[in-house]
């Protein structure tokens, strides 16, 4: 099977929930991260220079045996199934989907402040997010996690739902979003535990070492821009 994931050179959750299931399962795929010039060409022409179609002129895109599939959730389902991290049971599959969509909703909450150019307005928006919207959503996620009693969102093992939350929390904990501190996550012990547990996974650690900045944080650990624990 010829697999290629196309996304920017970032450890962002939209791509990580598809990249990681393949890597963890030792499934070969091309991890293609277009340059600015390559992406400009794709936006102008609706395809990459090698002919790979880019539906909707958005990334990520999965090319599977030459066929393009767009949209984060669609790609994640395919890669999750291939990597054994997406359930066959329709109820459990729905429970995985609801978590990934919740992460998309949190991302949408953050988006307006990302686009705000006025620093005072941006700061006020981030204060509101930290005080209200983010803790509310994290509380919802914590409740679902607690209900499952396994330490994972669905079933007894890691799924793409867990990877989506892990990557989102890492983005927030990294401190790259001005005026949103990792402290907003700390009250939610279950989410913190999930984040730290996934960070300890040997294949996740190997992915971080292989793919991102090799900045040692301890003798045997590397970071890709987020702390190893929160």
């Amino acid at each position: 099977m010829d697999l290629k994931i196309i996304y920017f050179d970032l450890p962002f959750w939209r791509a990580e929930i598809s990249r990681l299931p393949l890597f963890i399962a030792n499934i070969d795929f091309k991890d293609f991260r277009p340059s600015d010039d390559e992406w400009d060409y794709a936006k102008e022409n609706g395809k990459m220079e090698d002919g790979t179609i880019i539906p909707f002129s958005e990334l990520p895109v999965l090319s599977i045996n030459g066929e393009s599939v767009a949209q984060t959730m669609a790609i994640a389902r395919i890669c999750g199934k291939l990597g054994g991290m997406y359930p066959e049971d329709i109820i459990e599959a729905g429970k995985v989907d609801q978590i990934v969509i919740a992460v998309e909703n949190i991302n949408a909450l953050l988006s307006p402040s990302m686009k705000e150019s006025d620093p005072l307005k941006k700061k006020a928006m981030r204060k509101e997010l930290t005080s209200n919207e983010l803790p509310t959503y994290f509380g919802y996620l914590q409740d679902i996690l607690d209900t499952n009693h396994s330490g994972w969102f669905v079933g007894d093992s890691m799924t793409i739902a867990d990877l989506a939350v892990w990557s989102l929390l890492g983005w927030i904990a990294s401190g790259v979003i001005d005026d949103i501190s990792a402290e907003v996550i700390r009250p939610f012990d279950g989410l913190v535990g999930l984040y730290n547990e996934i960070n300890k996974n040997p294949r996740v650690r190997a992915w971080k070492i292989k793919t991102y900045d090799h900045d040692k944080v301890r003798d045997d650990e590397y970071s890709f821009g987020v702390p190893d624990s929160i």
Side-chain angles (χ1 to χ4, degrees):
M1 185 179 295
D2 183 20
L3 298 168
K4 177 171 66 175
I5 296 176
I6 306 169
Y7 194 70
F8 308 108
D9 190 19
L10 298 167
F12 194 51
W13 71 270
R14 289 192 181 278
E16 296 298 86
I17 60 170
S18 297
R19 292 166 174 160
L20 269 164
L22 299 180
F23 181 78
I24 289 170
N26 287 305
I27 297 171
D28 288 335
F29 71 101
K30 184 175 182 182
D31 182 14
F32 183 68
R33 304 176 182 223
S35 66
D36 290 343
D37 288 344
E38 288 168 327
W39 180 233
D40 287 342
Y41 178 93
K43 288 189 291 185
E44 182 176 346
N45 296 279
K47 58 185 177 182
M48 304 302 299
E49 292 177 338
D50 66 358
T52 303
I53 301 298
I54 306 296
F56 313 113
S57 292
E58 294 176 346
L59 297 181
V61 164
L62 170 68
S63 173
I64 179 167
N65 294 335
E67 298 286 340
S68 292
V69 177
Q71 303 297 347
T72 299
M73 189 72 245
I75 297 167
R77 283 194 192 101
I78 292 172
C79 295
K81 286 180 178 179
L82 290 172
M85 297 181 68
Y86 188 84
E88 294 292 333
D89 179 85
I90 59 171
I91 296 176
E92 289 198 341
K95 288 182 176 182
V96 167
D97 289 358
Q98 73 176 353
I99 299 301
V100 178
I101 292 168
V103 170
E104 290 185 327
N105 290 342
I106 294 170
N107 198 100
L109 289 174
L110 291 163
S111 183
S113 69
M114 299 288 184
K115 298 174 182 177
E116 179 56 60
S117 58
D118 185 310
L120 293 179
K121 289 182 180 178
K122 183 189 290 278
K123 190 177 184 71
M125 293 168 78
R126 296 277 170 82
K127 182 177 180 181
E128 177 67 19
L129 285 166
T130 302
S131 300
N132 295 301
E133 286 99 334
L134 289 178
T136 296
Y137 253 101
F138 291 153
Y140 295 151
L141 291 172
Q142 176 84 59
D143 288 345
I144 294 170
L145 188 62
D146 288 346
T147 299
N148 193 41
H149 302 298
S150 71
W152 306 108
F153 277 106
V154 181
D156 297 321
S157 60
M158 184 166 55
T159 68
I160 61 170
D162 305 296
L163 288 176
V165 173
W166 167 78
S167 192
L168 175 78
L169 295 180
W171 180 40
I172 292 173
S174 70
V176 299
I177 312 175
D178 292 341
D179 300 311
I180 295 183
S181 167
E183 294 302 314
V184 71
I185 303 166
R186 292 191 192 279
F188 304 96
D189 293 343
L191 299 184
V192 171
L194 176 81
Y195 178 85
N196 293 337
E197 185 65 25
I198 292 177
N199 268 342
K200 292 188 293 185
N201 181 286
R203 292 296 288 167
V204 172
R205 294 169 69 79
W207 172 254
K208 291 161 67 174
I209 293 169
K210 171 182 180 292
T211 313
Y212 298 109
D213 292 340
H214 292 194
D215 297 325
K216 278 194 175 183
V217 293
R218 288 202 291 274
D219 287 345
D220 62 341
E221 295 187 52
Y222 292 81
S223 168
F224 65 104
V226 304
D228 277 323
S229 62
I230 54 177

